[in-house]
Amino acid sequence: MTVTTAQSLRIAVQDVRLAFSKTGCVTSAVLVMAGTGLDLAVYPDQAPTFLLVRSLVAVATLLLLWVIQGEFGRRHVRVLTLLWLALPQIMIAWMIAQTEGAASIYFVGLHLALYAVGMIVPISYLEGLGFGVFTCLIYVAACFWHAGGVVATGQFVAHLLFTAFSAIICVGCTYFAELSRLRLFALREQVAEQNARLQESNRALAEVKGQLIQREKMAAIGTLSAGLLHELNNPVNYSLMAIDMGLTCPGVEGDAMLKESLGDAREGMQRIQNIVSDLKTFAYQKPGQDAQRPFLLGNALRSALRLAGYELKGIDVPVELPQDTHVLGDEPAIIGVLINLLSNAAHALQAAKREQPRIAVTVVPRGQRLFVSVRDNGTGIAPENLGRVFEPFFTTRDVGAGLGLGLSVSYGIVQRHGGTLAVESELGAWTEFTFDLPRPA
């Protein structure tokens, strides 16, 4: 059992003691006052005196209840519980001495208290043993304190033996009750630990599932882009060659509109080449290929901006890069992280409907790592959701708009590179995601 579990068990036992002690105080005070009926029935002449004593004991018990409810009571609940348990026993012993001594009917009250403690009150068996010995001793003292002393010796011995038997039963009951409580609390802690492990396993499985889905998507895009590259390269090259030949014709120089149109067509063909090339770089990686290799983060960022270009239309995206953007890692995976962050920022800006939508991308070198920041002036993230954005399948979008896996997969990718993907946000104002990557030695 770990230290944490042991501490948790002690806290749980203390909470049970506290709850039972509070309830026991009230019950004890009520039963003490209810005994007035017995006084009137058996010893009516002494009933007024006994009523006064019972009232004092009930008030003292309720005062202990008030103490138990505070911080001091929580720390000393064991001692205070034994104290309010002892008060009725002392009162009964005094009544025995004031009535018939060993022949007094009040000795039954001592037995009832012992049985109640053994079966109900959550004290340890050592405390139960001490309470039983205390009860036997005050019974002996009460009988000898009686004005006539111990007159009926046989009755005294019999009552004392019965009290001792009740004390032994009390100890046995408290021992097994305490053992059962400890086992119950230990079982509860084990269940809690198993639940925590199960939740952690479920979280890990969800992350793995998200990564597998992402890999399948990347493999599908890779296959598609490889096919596109093969199928499109030839017609694109033919088109580029035709455009280049057209640009060399003498008549083009004299027609500004034709020259501009051919230039636009050439630029469009080159863009098609770049997009297909970016898709291949982003998604396709041969099995067994080293995923930790140097690459230019600047190039990866430009690829991400081109691939997310449709979502970024109408958004100002200033980029601040250092002179050297070499990093070490998995370039396709990092492009995927950048696309995900840019896409999320674009969606936030669409929801915010800003007049001047802006996504600022900043890369800053610090020691042996490059720190990347993607900050938008969109809707921001609510404080209650800020700690959950990296959870698998958590999303604030409408049903069907996303699985909520992008950020969790991105978090795992950055973590695999020895970095941390973090987020800061102000609701209604801005959101900033930051992550860091290692630089080649």
Side-chain angles (χ1 to χ4, degrees):
M1 186 182 298
T2 63
V3 176
T4 303
T5 303
Q7 289 176 346
S8 180
L9 282 174
R10 285 197 296 271
I11 292 172
V13 171
Q14 187 180 37
D15 289 340
V16 171
R17 287 178 182 273
L18 196 63
F20 271 83
S21 191
K22 290 177 181 179
T23 306
C25 276
V26 177
T27 305
S28 177
V30 171
L31 291 177
V32 165
M33 295 306 299
T36 304
L38 181 63
D39 301 337
L40 291 171
V42 183
Y43 305 105
D45 295 339
Q46 295 171 291
T49 305
F50 287 176
L51 177 60
L52 176 62
V53 174
R54 287 180 182 277
S55 300
L56 292 174
V57 171
V59 170
T61 303
L62 293 177
L63 285 174
L64 288 174
L65 171 63
W66 177 74
V67 174
I68 287 173
Q69 292 177 341
E71 185 61 31
F72 176 84
R74 183 177 182 83
R75 292 197 306 268
H76 302 89
V77 63
R78 285 174 174 266
V79 176
L80 293 174
T81 299
L82 292 174
L83 184 56
W84 69 256
L85 285 173
L87 286 177
Q89 300 295 77
I90 295 172
M91 180 195 73
I92 294 171
W94 177 81
M95 289 180 174
I96 291 173
Q98 295 299 314
T99 52
E100 300 177 72
S104 176
I105 190 63
Y106 284 123
F107 88 96
V108 176
L110 299 176
H111 289 254
L112 291 176
L114 287 170
Y115 291 138
V117 167
M119 292 184 289
I120 300 174
V121 182
I123 61 176
S124 68
Y125 75 94
L126 289 177
E127 292 168 340
L129 177 62
F131 185 73
V133 172
F134 168 76
T135 301
C136 292
L137 290 177
I138 63 169
Y139 177 70
V140 172
C143 291
F144 278 96
W145 186 20
H146 178 59
V150 181
V151 178
T153 306
Q155 200 172 26
F156 166 72
V157 173
H159 288 175
L160 180 60
L161 285 174
F162 277 120
T163 305
F165 293 158
S166 297
I168 293 172
I169 294 172
C170 173
V171 173
C173 290
T174 53
Y175 173 77
F176 287 109
E178 182 183 30
L179 189 63
S180 299
R181 282 193 301 273
L182 291 177
R183 286 180 177 176
L184 178 63
F185 291 139
L187 181 61
R188 190 177 70 179
E189 290 298 320
Q190 290 176 5
V191 171
E193 290 179 2
Q194 291 295 333
N195 285 337
R197 291 175 185 172
L198 184 60
Q199 290 177 356
E200 185 62 30
S201 298
N202 288 338
R203 190 180 300 110
L205 287 173
E207 291 178 358
V208 171
K209 182 178 180 180
Q211 292 176 5
L212 289 175
I213 292 174
Q214 186 72 5
R215 287 178 183 177
E216 289 177 1
K217 287 163 57 179
M218 292 173 69
I221 295 173
T223 304
L224 175 63
S225 62
L228 283 174
L229 182 64
H230 176 74
E231 294 294 333
L232 293 180
N233 259 348
N234 286 337
V236 168
N237 286 335
Y238 296 154
S239 298
L240 285 173
M241 288 175 59
I243 293 170
D244 288 339
M245 289 179 64
L247 287 171
T248 60
C249 291
V252 173
E253 292 297 332
D255 191 334
M257 183 175 293
L258 177 60
K259 184 177 181 180
E260 183 180 355
S261 298
L262 290 173
D264 291 340
R266 191 175 193 281
E267 184 180 347
M269 289 293 110
Q270 288 175 338
R271 186 175 179 186
I272 291 174
Q273 281 187 324
N274 290 334
I275 289 174
V276 175
S277 178
D278 289 336
L279 282 171
K280 186 178 179 181
T281 304
F282 161 57
Y284 187 69
Q285 195 170 1
K286 293 180 182 179
Q289 192 173 353
D290 185 14
Q292 296 295 320
R293 59 189 184 280
F295 67 93
L296 286 171
L297 183 60
N299 289 343
L301 178 57
R302 281 186 282 273
S303 294
L305 289 170
R306 282 194 294 267
L307 290 168
Y310 178 78
E311 293 178 305
L312 297 176
K313 283 183 178 179
I315 299 174
D316 180 26
V317 188
V319 176
E320 183 179 338
L321 294 172
Q323 186 174 359
D324 182 11
T325 63
H326 277 93
V327 290
L328 187 65
D330 184 350
E331 183 178 7
I334 297 303
I335 294 175
V337 172
L338 290 167
I339 290 175
N340 185 261
L341 296 181
L342 292 169
S343 176
N344 287 344
H347 288 147
L349 288 168
Q350 289 172 7
K353 298 180 179 178
R354 302 291 189 196
E355 292 184 1
Q356 296 180 335
R358 188 172 188 270
I359 301 174
V361 182
T362 306
V363 180
V364 178
R366 295 176 190 168
Q368 292 301 311
R369 303 188 74 83
L370 281 185
F371 285 78
V372 183
S373 165
V374 179
R375 181 184 177 113
D376 66 74
N377 60 343
T379 56
I381 301 173
E384 62 270 18
N385 294 331
L386 198 60
R388 301 187 59 195
V389 294
F390 299 118
E391 291 181 10
F393 306 109
F394 175 78
T395 179
T396 56
R397 297 185 191 177
D398 296 334
V399 177
L403 293 176
L405 290 171
L407 286 176
S408 64
V409 172
S410 298
Y411 186 90
I413 291 172
V414 174
Q415 197 174 42
R416 201 165 65 238
H417 286 74
T420 302
L421 178 60
V423 59
E424 294 183 9
S425 182
E426 181 180 335
L427 186 61
W430 55 270
T431 299
E432 181 178 16
F433 284 90
T434 57
F435 66 92
D436 55 299
L437 297 170
R439 305 173 74 180

